[in-house]
Amino acid sequence: MGDFSVEVSDSGGLDEFAAKLARLTSQDAINRINDAAGAAVKDRVDLEFQRGEDPYGNAWLATRAGNSPPLTGPTCDLRGSVRYEVTGKGFLILVTDWKAIFHQGGTRRGLPARPMLPVNGALPAQWSYAMDLAVKAELEAILGLGST
């Protein structure tokens, strides 16, 4: 996560800030932070579909139908099936269209991989950056701080 700092100028402010920090331990605050991070990643996946690229910025191969960008056919079923779900400890990115598995990893029958989600557990830099910004903004909101 990126840098996050707070300056407290007097001891009275320290007590007030300690009370604000206690807010971060509530499940509501944790859910808000996870929701912000999940929404940021969902936005990145939407951008991948718009650009026709994987989470690492590599262009998807064209489809047989020639859709440009790929995977954005007339129904947009695949793109429309991407959502996120907040859990007690984080969030999940879900692609619920049954065809996603074939595009994510490709097939032995020659369908090339067009990953929508990270592969091999490698978190894409743009996903990390988007989550950093979203989480920082949510922390500032929860703590009642202005943007620094």
Side-chain angles (χ1 to χ4, degrees), residues 19 25 67 104 109 127-128 133:
T25 63
N67 297 334
Q104 179 69 20
R109 292 185 164 190
W127 284 31
S128 180
L133 291 179

Side-chain angles (χ1 to χ4, degrees), residues 39-62:
V41 169
K42 164 76 167 74
D43 289 346
R44 289 298 313 171
V45 175
D46 287 344
L47 188 60
E48 292 165 20
F49 273 95
Q50 288 174 12
R51 293 179 174 172
E53 61 188 29
D54 71 17
Y56 309 98
N58 303 308
W60 287 330
L61 295 176

Side-chain angles (χ1 to χ4, degrees), residues 38-39 41-42 45-46 78-86 91-96 117:
V41 169
K42 164 76 167 74
V45 175
D46 287 344
L78 190 58
R79 181 179 183 177
S81 76
V82 178
R83 62 186 178 86
Y84 73 97
E85 184 176 295
V86 173
F91 65 93
L92 301 170
I93 292 292
L94 305 164
V95 185
T96 59
L117 304 176

